[in-house]
Amino acid sequence: MPERARELGALALALQPDASRLTLPRFLDDIAARHGERVALRFEGCDLSYAQLRAEARAVARGLVAAGIARGEHVAVLFANRPEWAICALGAALAGAVVVPLSTFATPAERAFLLAHSDAVALLYQRALLARDFAAELRAAPRPARLRLLACWGEQAFPRAAGANVALEAELEARAASVAPSDPGLLLYTSGTTAEPKGVLHPQRAPVIQSWRFAELMDLTPDDRVLSAQPLFWTAGIAMSLGATLAAGATLLLQESFEPGAALALIERERATTLHAWPHQEQAMAAHPEAVRRDLASLRKLEFTSALAAHARLERDEWGIYASFGATESFTLASALPARAPAAQRRASHGAPLPGNELRILHPETGAQLGAGCEGEIALRGPTLMIGYWKQPRAAAFDTEGFWHSGDTGWLDARGRLHWRGRASGMIKTGGANVSPLEVEAALAAFPGVKSAHALGVPHPALGEALVLCVVLSAESPRGAISLDAVREFLRPQLAGYKLPRALLAFAAREVAYTGSQKVALAALRERALERLAAEGTEIAGHRYGSERRSR
C-alpha cells in the first residue's frame, strides 16, 4: 500500500480525507473555498471573512517574497490574540517560510534568546500591548546576526503587496504548491527540563491534522461562536482555538488580552457557544461581580466542571474535552475521547490514542515496554509528533523506534485507554503553561544571601500547580532577610510573568534533607513546603493552603 494511503487510513479525518492537502497553505485555501463570506474572526466589532483572511494572508506572503524571504527561512510573529496573528502566520506559511510564534509574555531578554536561537530572518510584530512597547524594546536590543527584517504592523514599510504583480503571484503559487505535509512548518518554544526553552520543530501536517481533527472531536459547527482566552502563540491556541474554529467554518471571537469582566460581556453580547480557557481564567470569570448579571446561557460547549457551569445553567455533563493527554511536542492532544462521548467514559480515563498515534508505557529504569495495568513512562509515536528539537540531535528527542519519551507517567488499561498519573520530571505546569524549574533557579543565581534555590510545583485547584520558590539561606542570611516581592522584582526583567514564584519559603541549611551526594532532596523539600504552606495558611490565587484541614 502506498505511504500516503496508509497515512490517510490511519488518520481517518472526515473533514479533510485528502492527506496531500495537510499543509498550512492548502488548509487556508480549503477553508476559504468552503466558507467564503462567513465571518472567520471578529475583533473589537470588526469582522474578517474567510475570503478576506485568505486575501490578507496572501498580501503578506507576496510582501515577504518581495522582501527576499526565501522558502524554508524562519519568520517570527509577535502578536496577541488579534486577526494579525492569523494573517501573518498564514502569510509566512504561504511564502514557504517556517513560522516561529513568539510569546507576548516573554521579557526582552527571553525574546532575544528566541530570535537568535530560532535563526529567524524576519520578525513581524505589533507595536504595543498594554504597558509593553514592543517597538521600543526591539530598538533598544541588539539585533541577532541573521535577523534582517523587522516589520511593525501598520507601518508603511510592512511587507504587504497587492495581487497585481504577476511574477510575485506566480512565485507564491509555486512555493505554496511545493510545500509537503512532512516539511517543517512551525518552530515553537516550550519550557522543559532544561534551563533554556526548547525549540520544538513541527511538520506542516501537525497543526493541520489537529485543526481538522478537533473540529470533529469538539463537535463544532458553522453556527458556533468560539471565545478563546488561550494565546494563539501556543499549540492549544493554534490548533484547538484558531485552527478548529476555522476548520468548522465557525467564528472565533478575539480578545487581545484576557480580562474576566470584558470576557463575560463578550460572551453575552456575541452569544458565544464555546469557551476555551484555563481553569484559573474560568474561576476568575465566575468570581467576577459581572458573572451573576450576565446572560451566559448561550455557552453550551463548556466543561461541566467549569467554575462557570452554574452561571451558564448547565444541568448535565454533556460535553467535555479535558479527558485527554498531550504536549507541545505532540501539537496538543495525543489521546482523547470525543467531546460528546458519555460522561462516564470521559471521567474514567485520559482517552484513547487518537487515530495514527501509538502509546507505549515504559519501565522507568530499563525502558522495557510494560503491559496493561502497569504504570511507567508514557512514550508516543504519531503523525502530529514533532520533527525534533531545534539544534539538537534526533537521539535527544526519540528512541531508536521513533518514540518520544514524554517524562510523564501513566498506564494503559485493557481497552488501550490512557490513565495519566503525573510528571516524572520536575517541570511545572501552571495555568496551562510549562515552566522549567532550572530556568527559574538559574535566573536567581546571582541573588544575594541565597545558598541554593529550588522551584517546585505544588497542587492548586485552579492553576493546576502553583510555582513556589524554596530558598536555602546562606549562613550569614537571617530568616526574613529575603522577601517574595524582592525576588519577584529581581526576576521580572529576566522571566515572563507566569514564571515568577507565587510564594517564597526560606529554609536554613540545617532544615532541609540532603542526598548522599549532598544535593537537596527535592521530594522531602516538597513535603516540607506543603507543610509550611498549610501551617502558615499561605494564600495563592484565591486558594488558602491548610483550609481543608481546618474546615474538617
Side-chain angles (χ1 to χ4, degrees), residues 154-180:
E155 292 189 354
Q156 188 173 359
F158 193 88
R160 297 172 78 190
N165 188 310
V166 176
L168 275 182
E169 190 68 17
E171 173 65 16
L172 183 59
E173 290 293 339
R175 290 193 187 189
S178 70
V179 175

Side-chain angles (χ1 to χ4, degrees), residues 364-386:
E365 295 177 3
T366 68
Q369 185 173 354
L370 301 175
C374 297
E375 184 172 329
E377 184 181 14
I378 301 168
L380 167 68
R381 181 169 66 185
T384 67
L385 195 60
M386 64 179 174

Side-chain angles (χ1 to χ4, degrees), residues 77-145:
V77 291
L78 177 64
F79 293 94
N81 282 19
R82 309 173 52 94
E84 293 89 340
W85 194 99
I87 291 168
C88 291
L90 290 169
L94 282 168
V98 175
V99 182
V100 185
L102 298 184
S103 169
T104 59
F105 302 146
T107 66
E110 289 172 320
R111 185 173 59 238
F113 169 81
L114 300 180
L115 286 170
H117 187 268
S118 68
D119 294 331
V121 300
L123 171 61
L124 311 181
Y125 66 97
Q126 67 183 83
R127 173 172 291 280
L129 174 64
L130 300 176
R132 299 283 299 276
D133 186 336
F134 294 141
E137 290 175 3
L138 289 164
R139 284 195 301 269
R143 182 183 295 199

